[in-house]
Amino acid sequence: MAQDPPPGSIVTPDWHRCAESKDFFDRIMHKKKRKQFGLLESPMMAPHVAVNTVHYKVLLSGKSGVGKTSLAARLAGLSIPNMHYETTGIETIVLYWPVKLKENGRVLFFRLQLWDCGENALRRFDHLLPSCKEQVDAVLFLFSFTDRTSFDDLPNQIARWSEPSDRVVKMVVGTKFDLFMHSDVTQREVMQFQERQGLPVLRTGAEASDGLGDVAYFLNCLAERLWHQDCMAATLDSCPTHYREGALI
Amino acid sequence: MLQDGSTQILCLTANSGVPLFTRGASKQLPFSVIGSLNGVHMFGDGQGVVLSSSQTDCGGRVVWRVFHDSVMLIAVNGGHRSGGAVKGHVKGEELFLERLLENVWNCMVLVLGRDELTNTRNVERLKKDLRSCFGLIDQLLEDGRQGIMGNLTHCADCLLPPNPALVQEAVNGFTQSVDSEFGCLVVHGCIAAATEKWWRLAPQEVVLLSALTRMLSASGSASCDYPVFLPQGSPTVAHRLLRFQLLPGADVCVLCGPAPSLHKAQSDLVRQFWSPLAETLRDCLAVGERCLPGTVALRVPDVLALLVVNREARRSVSCVRASADDSPAPPSTPRCWELLRLFYIFAATRYFGQEEAPVSGAAPSEEKAHSRSSSSGDFVAGFSHQPLQCYLVTEECKCYGLQTQQHQLFLLTPLSVPTFALRNVATQTLSAVTADTGF
Ligand SMILES: Nc1nc2c(ncn2[C@@H]2O[C@H](COP(=O)(O)OP(=O)(O)O)[C@@H](O)[C@H]2O)c(=O)[nH]1
Ligand SMILES: [Mg+2]
């Protein structure tokens, strides 16, 4: 397995705070909110600024109610549903995120498609899981700080993805961290788990905010690992990476 | 009992009366009331009587219906709704509630399949599974407030695109490319184009699939792969509904079998077929809530709201305040939608009678008989002829209904339009909408 890059070693952390990034982040914003892109759209830069877009498929995994749908909405800057409606099939969300590579100062747009599938639907319909797994680049394993069983179930979830041939970025996400008063899972347990599994654990919570700060750390971490995985793969067998021209319409 | 005008849906097991869920109305009915509503129906059953509807003296209404001997649905509507003269004829409310119950049942079948609902071995499990239907049921309850008429009319809400041939061709081509015959383009929640086979689905199914698309689209997702059972056409075998958001507000849907996978369809086919049409799609989006292309000229100040139904095709277009210069004069836009619904109920039940399209496939005859029986108007029954036009003057607006072989028009005008001119405005409006568009 590829060794993990230390956070901040590949992409510029907090780049969204730098003045030079404004032109790029403006492309993913609309009236101070994140812009929503249909499948035919992508961020449009001025013609002389050539920016490559890299495409990745990211699967959200975890039991019903842990907050998969909410996390996808949060990362894409969509309004977070306050009701829990069971997701009764696969729903995907597309988001764009500009990243600056430390190595050479190059800027890339990451196009992340987050795949979210309800657990009950997975159980009832056999065709959904293979579809989720098809050409997946990363899996986020979710547990909720307010649901002990979701934490205890993590090793099972991760085990489903243990084939060594898998070239998949794996990360663990603890949701509902804002409800830590009602937490069922202690920080120590999370630390121990992190060491044992060798997987990074990110935390999210529902504090209301419309800025980018809320998701920047998360998305940069994810982008960094995806990029790292691609670079490793490219050096191993020079397989094609995820480059694709950002089609401009 | 309930807040003004709000409607609550109760669902219980038919044979033992175990509550399964309630939806609608923020405040739930007390358990004892739910028990009594079930009890009184059971009592009737014991006497060989089917209790289907009842009314309280302050205008509240309850409608019962048992589906496949397994699930009982009850709709409760709190009275006192500020309906004015249009609301005076409570009889019509029954039609609305009956259709609502049918729609809710269809939602349950669409998500879970009929077998799951009728072979209930474990009530607790069913209760849990039914939660997956709440999103769609709530969407249906919400739709009425947002200018969607289909759940009431059982006709698909349509948007007439400025360039129908282009989008039709794209829908046909894309549908074929995913090995399907069922495809449609939904713009602002209304159908802008669909394949011939899509239109041959049962009208309730078309309406329901539109509601599902609106729900999925509202969440902002880019694409979906949803297992769906078709309440009439395929209640026990699931199909896949693939949905792709081409532009925010413009979605293409297809019903298909095991292939292609969502990933494949999306990365290979969507761009190939739809990228060349991005501008055309933007033109469709620009039609907006008016649902009619700019070429349709309406007598602007005279039309507050309109609903045109194509009777044979089971399609409808509707809009409120079609004018660009939006005069702030009352009634408000939401109120206009409400008045349009009320007038539809009024005219359709009292004068025009409603036709259900012949349901394709094998719907149990018991159900068909039921939907015809109770709501045909007393008025129509007393005459040997079919009324073709009707009008109504209220404190808020004037209403005119018009029926031809092919179409029905329900029109609201401001009070300023002289009553004698209503017929003229109505005929002109109908021909303006239908002539050039071929609707
Ligand atoms: N307080 C809090 N609530 C959350 C958070 N994430 C999700 N929820 C709530 O948890 C419920 C389930 O979330 P959802 O995303 O639908 O779960 P899913 O079944 O995994 O898709 C919803 O009512 C959310 O509002 C969070 O980070 N904090
Ligand atoms: Mg979900």
Side-chain angles (χ1 to χ4, degrees), chain B residues 21 32 36 49 57 73 109 133 163 184 205 223 227 290 311 347 379 413 415 418 426:
Chain B
F21 68 79
S32 58
S36 310
V49 175
D57 44 12
L73 287 173
V109 176
C133 311
N163 26 31
C184 83
E205 291 172 345
S223 65
R290 190 172 186 254
R311 301 170 67 184
F379 181 89
T413 73
L415 291 171

Side-chain angles (χ1 to χ4, degrees), chain B residues 234-245:
Chain B
S234 177
T236 55
V237 177
H239 292 254
R240 293 165 66 220
L241 180 78
L242 300 190
R243 172 196 144 268
F244 304 96
Q245 186 196 59

Side-chain angles (χ1 to χ4, degrees), chain A residues 68-69 84-87 116 118:
Chain A
K68 298 182 291 297
T69 305
H84 176 224
Y85 285 129
E86 179 94 28
T87 311
D116 167 24

Side-chain angles (χ1 to χ4, degrees), chain A residues 78-248:
Chain A
L78 298 166
S79 58
I80 299 174
N82 45 14
M83 279 276 266
H84 176 224
Y85 285 129
E86 179 94 28
T87 311
T88 60
I90 300 174
E91 286 184 45
T92 79
I93 284 186
V94 168
L95 68 89
Y96 286 85
W97 187 251
V99 155
K100 184 172 180 179
L101 298 178
K102 271 196 155 165
E103 188 186 30
N104 49 17
R106 217 148 51 91
V107 177
L108 293 171
F109 270 114
F110 276 68
R111 179 192 189 268
L112 304 180
Q113 185 158 24
L114 308 176
W115 286 53
D116 167 24
C117 186
E119 275 285 286
N120 289 331
L122 276 180
R123 211 167 301 134
R124 284 162 46 93
F125 300 99
D126 295 335
H127 65 278
L128 296 178
L129 187 60
S131 181
C132 289
K133 285 189 167 185
E134 185 184 1
Q135 296 192 43
V136 70
D137 299 300
V139 188
L140 307 182
F141 301 100
L142 275 68
F143 74 92
S144 157
F145 275 99
T146 60
D147 177 359
R148 176 82 211 178
T149 58
S150 69
F151 181 71
D152 293 339
D153 191 43
L154 281 176
N156 283 330
Q157 299 260 357
I158 296 167
R160 285 196 216 160
W161 295 87
S162 58
E163 297 133 63
S165 64
D166 284 346
R167 199 166 280 145
V168 176
V169 168
K170 293 171 203 155
M171 286 171 39
V172 175
V173 182
T175 62
K176 312 196 190 184
F177 193 53
D178 55 312
L179 303 177
F180 67 92
M181 301 288 282
H182 310 276
S183 181
D184 259 357
V185 183
T186 66
Q187 291 308 307
R188 240 182 83 172
E189 287 170 311
V190 174
M191 301 273 276
Q192 281 168 356
F193 173 85
Q194 190 162 346
E195 264 165 41
R196 206 166 344 112
Q197 296 278 344
L199 294 180
V201 179
L202 294 172
R203 295 166 177 78
T204 73
E207 77 280 10
S209 124
D210 42 27
L212 294 171
D214 211 18
V215 296
Y217 178 75
F218 197 111
L219 290 175
N220 283 333
C221 269
L222 184 54
E224 191 153 63
R225 275 155 205 281
L226 286 165
W227 185 249
H228 181 66
Q229 172 174 260
D230 261 10
C231 292
M232 299 301 285
T235 52
L236 280 182
D237 49 26
S238 66
C239 76
T241 61
H242 287 72
Y243 270 120
R244 228 170 285 175
E245 285 309 312
L248 306 177

Side-chain angles (χ1 to χ4, degrees), chain A residues 36-41 57 78 83 85-94 113 115 124-125 127 134-135 247 249, chain B residues 23 111-112 116 132 134-135 138 219-227 240 244-248 261 263 266 271 274:
Chain A
Q36 213 187 314
F37 293 93
L39 289 172
L40 302 183
E41 299 171 306
K57 170 171 169 179
L78 298 166
M83 279 276 266
Y85 285 129
E86 179 94 28
T87 311
T88 60
I90 300 174
E91 286 184 45
T92 79
I93 284 186
V94 168
Q113 185 158 24
W115 286 53
R124 284 162 46 93
F125 300 99
H127 65 278
E134 185 184 1
Q135 296 192 43
I249 63 164
Chain B
R23 293 321 286 167
V111 176
L112 292 177
E116 183 102 13
S132 13
F134 291 175
D138 289 0
S219 74
S221 61
S223 65
C224 304
D225 185 342
Y226 254 61
R240 293 165 66 220
F244 304 96
Q245 186 196 59
L246 304 171
L247 300 173
S261 71
H263 188 85
Q266 178 175 286
R271 266 174 183 267
W274 293 100

